[in-house]
Amino acid sequence: MPPPADIVKVAIEWPGAFPKLMEIDQKKPLSAIIKEVCEGWSLGNHENFALQIADATNFYITEKNRNDIKNGSILRLTSSPYQTAAQLHERIQSSSMDAKLESLKDLANASRDITFAQEFINLDGISLLTQMVESGTDFGDLLSFTLTAFVELMDHGIVSWDTFSVAFIKKIASYVNKSAMDTAVLQRSLAILESMVLNSQDLYHKVAQEITIGQLIPHLQGTDQDIQTYTIAVINALFLKAPEEKRQVRLQCAHTEMAHILAQKQLRSIILSNVIRSPTPINDEMAHQLYVLQVLTFNLLEDRMMTKMDPQDQAQRDIIFELRRIAFDVECEPNNSGSIEKRKSMYTRDYKKLGFINHVNPAVDFTQIPPGMLALDNMLYFARHHQDAYIRIVLENSSREDKHECPFGRSSIELTKMLCEILKVGELPSENCHDFHPMFFTHDRSFEEFFCICIQLLNKTWKEMRATSEDFNKVMQVVREQIMRALTLKPNSLDQFKSRLQNLSYTEILKIRQSERMNQEDFQSRPILELREKIQPEIMELIKQQRLNRLCDGTCFRKISSRRRQDKFWYCRLSPNHKVLHYGDLEESPQGEVPHDSLQDKLPVADIKAVITGKDCPHMKEKGALKQNKEVLELAFSVLYESDEYLNFIAPDKHEYCVWTDGLNALLGKEMTSDYTKSDMDTLLSMEMKLRLLDLENIQIPEAPPPIPKEPSNYDFVYDCN
């Protein structure tokens, strides 16, 4: 007979004694269990003791987390969180350097546990650590472990970042500004500055006064990728939290002091040469920070993208006149040259050649947002920096027949809008994305250069398609596909991107589309549709079996944590008879399958009541940046069992999310509705149809079945076997 669900069998350690095997009743108060353990070893004052998980974490067992205790767990009887916190609070003030160092090591390790952290913070431990830092008497390992403990304590979100003094900020900034500094101290200092900037607008202003881009850049020129990652994280935080006008000053406005510093210090080129083109492979955390920097840089375009042109603004109208002058090499005529009507007629003719929709007043074309003034900026950049290509495109199209000309003005406006959509200009960076493009770090005006390559591509594709004005949207669709396919290849430079586009001509796109269409061929005649309907249940059953087999193999899931750099894992798999889910915690991500007997927890499939996904999951309703992230929401699902008990999952990727939600729904007898199932159904059904129709190749299948002939007048021709 299995033991009651509330009874957990564990081993409990105590220094100098043999471990004690005992059964813990989860219904009993934790204090009563600790008292029982203490009495077993004849220890008094049981209120001064607590239980810990006997592993590297040493996390305390509390009423909140006691349900995490598994059968076979090893626990340790130890001092209560308050006693430990009080002892460490006293010991870190010791006059002995050796004793102080050991105490700070213990404090840094213990501070990862929120139960201990709360007690230490209640003793005003954060203030003690900040005073130790401000005093400036500790160096090397002493300072390193002090800062580590501080970071761990602050990570719990118990204490507000707004409480810290300018003196403390100056001290942390000084560690970053020093040319020769202990690596561990520098790393912790950068992490503290990043958290300060991200968590407090007031602290942003204080940190920004102490740290400049120029002081951070030397840390990018080393070989330690962790230091480089933290440095870029601080730069990202400063840009992300800067007021809008300062953001523009930092990266965009060509005549400001900050932009001058950026150009002088060559931030972009240093990142390119020391990080992106470094012989050390870029890890996920660095890729994420580079992606964030890329997004924040492009987001500086949002202001221009959402700014309408003022048709009455003479300075803006002069830009359009400059486009006309460069294209047709027309000197600005004096106001008294020719009649007003003649000049208007000439301007209208030229603006039509330039491809504006409104020939009389092209300024009206730039009142659409997006792309607003950003389109005009791109056009002017193209005309000034790629003048030959600009003139060739304009003159080439102005000499074509009206219906075959590629309108440069309209194309530029729509292309700018498309590029903003592709690069998601104006959207905040995602928490888990690592999708940065090295080519955007190879040029100071990468967006404008990107536009210049794409506008030439658009003109080339227009000619290849022999398009007319009615085909404008079709051409834009092909150009989008060309750009997306080239970006998917992650070119290392703009020149490489350009050469990839050369290999993606309209003819090649047609071949790719034809190939994809052949792979997804779907005949629409009635006999074929009937055959599809007949085959579909067989394919669905095949997909169902595959999903269940994958669940039997099991998957490693990331435990829910707001601290992205300290992942923990757990494993879940379905029993071969499809009746039980086995799951349990892991210290690290496994290399292969985890056997059933090492997974201590079980959940009978018969007890599962529902599968919940997305924002309806209980672990997605909690507060925190991780829980609110869109991508994490898309990977979250929960299994409801009993009355209000949940098993909460965050899938490692979209594929695993689809596999598990499909498999769990199949176990419950519900429909599998994921995108992955639809894709598999289309692929397998297409393959099966082609196999079954192989003998009918080149034979025309009629839309309707042939008529049934009339019955014969007699059946004398039938042979009677009897």
Side-chain angles (χ1 to χ4, degrees), residues 605-611 639 662-671:
V605 172
D607 291 349
I608 298 176
K609 291 183 168 48
V611 177
V639 171
D662 282 344
L664 291 169
N665 280 322
L667 287 172
L668 298 179
K670 296 182 179 178
E671 188 179 352

Side-chain angles (χ1 to χ4, degrees), residues 390-620:
Y390 167 71
I391 293 171
R392 177 177 54 78
I393 286 176
V394 174
L395 296 184
E396 190 179 84
N397 285 292
S398 63
S399 62
R400 290 182 189 166
E401 297 177 49
D402 284 351
K403 66 176 185 177
H404 282 290
E405 66 180 1
C406 177
F408 173 73
R410 182 186 175 191
S411 298
S412 298
I413 292 167
E414 291 301 322
L415 178 64
T416 301
K417 183 180 178 182
M418 180 199 293
L419 298 184
C420 289
E421 290 171 358
I422 290 172
L423 299 177
K424 298 181 179 178
V425 174
E427 294 186 21
L428 286 175
S430 171
E431 178 69 20
N432 292 322
C433 187
H434 311 107
D435 188 24
F436 82 96
H437 293 277
M439 73 175 192
F440 291 129
F441 290 84
T442 61
H443 200 283
D444 290 325
R445 304 287 294 274
S446 59
F447 184 80
E448 290 88 340
E449 288 292 327
F450 185 44
F451 167 84
C452 293
I453 294 170
C454 293
I455 193 66
Q456 294 176 73
L457 167 73
L458 192 154
N459 189 63
K460 174 174 169 283
T461 302
W462 184 283
K463 288 189 291 185
E464 290 172 348
M465 293 178 67
R466 297 178 182 175
T468 63
S469 54
E470 288 81 9
D471 300 320
F472 187 87
N473 291 333
K474 291 180 183 177
V475 175
M476 295 303 293
Q477 288 172 5
V478 173
V479 170
R480 177 187 279 270
E481 186 173 344
Q482 290 170 312
I483 294 169
M484 294 300 290
R485 288 185 185 277
L487 285 177
T488 304
L489 300 170
K490 290 290 178 73
N492 291 318
S493 66
L494 289 162
D495 286 338
Q496 199 175 92
F497 172 70
K498 193 172 183 179
S499 65
R500 295 269 165 84
L501 289 175
Q502 293 293 331
N503 298 327
L504 285 169
S505 64
Y506 176 57
T507 306
E508 186 63 27
I509 291 292
L510 286 179
K511 287 179 182 177
I512 294 170
R513 286 180 175 180
Q514 180 66 21
S515 173
E516 292 175 350
R517 195 178 296 116
M518 289 291 288
N519 292 334
Q520 300 173 359
E521 198 166 13
D522 187 9
F523 302 108
Q524 296 300 317
S525 63
R526 197 172 76 181
I528 301 298
L529 293 174
E530 288 177 1
L531 180 61
R532 282 174 62 89
E533 288 178 12
K534 183 180 177 181
I535 297 173
Q536 208 156 340
E538 301 172 20
I539 302 295
M540 187 58 76
E541 183 61 29
L542 183 65
I543 294 171
K544 176 183 173 182
Q545 289 305 317
Q546 188 274 341
R547 298 292 190 269
L548 295 177
N549 289 341
R550 278 288 293 106
L551 264 60
C552 291
D553 293 340
T555 300
C556 178
F557 295 95
R558 185 163 57 90
K559 293 201 82 169
I560 303 159
S561 169
S562 60
R563 301 183 336 172
R564 180 157 43 92
R565 297 190 183 97
Q566 298 183 7
D567 288 347
K568 296 192 178 298
F569 305 94
W570 66 291
Y571 201 87
C572 186
R573 64 183 298 180
L574 180 66
S575 62
N577 63 5
H578 301 172
K579 291 188 175 180
V580 179
L581 283 176
H582 298 265
Y583 61 96
D585 293 340
L586 300 174
E587 286 299 319
E588 57 186 21
S589 182
Q591 297 303 312
E593 291 183 19
V594 177
H596 293 97
D597 50 13
S598 65
L599 302 173
Q600 300 157 355
D601 294 296
K602 299 178 181 179
L603 173 60
V605 172
D607 291 349
I608 298 176
K609 291 183 168 48
V611 177
I612 302 164
T613 60
K615 62 183 179 182
D616 295 327
C617 298
H619 58 311
M620 292 296 107

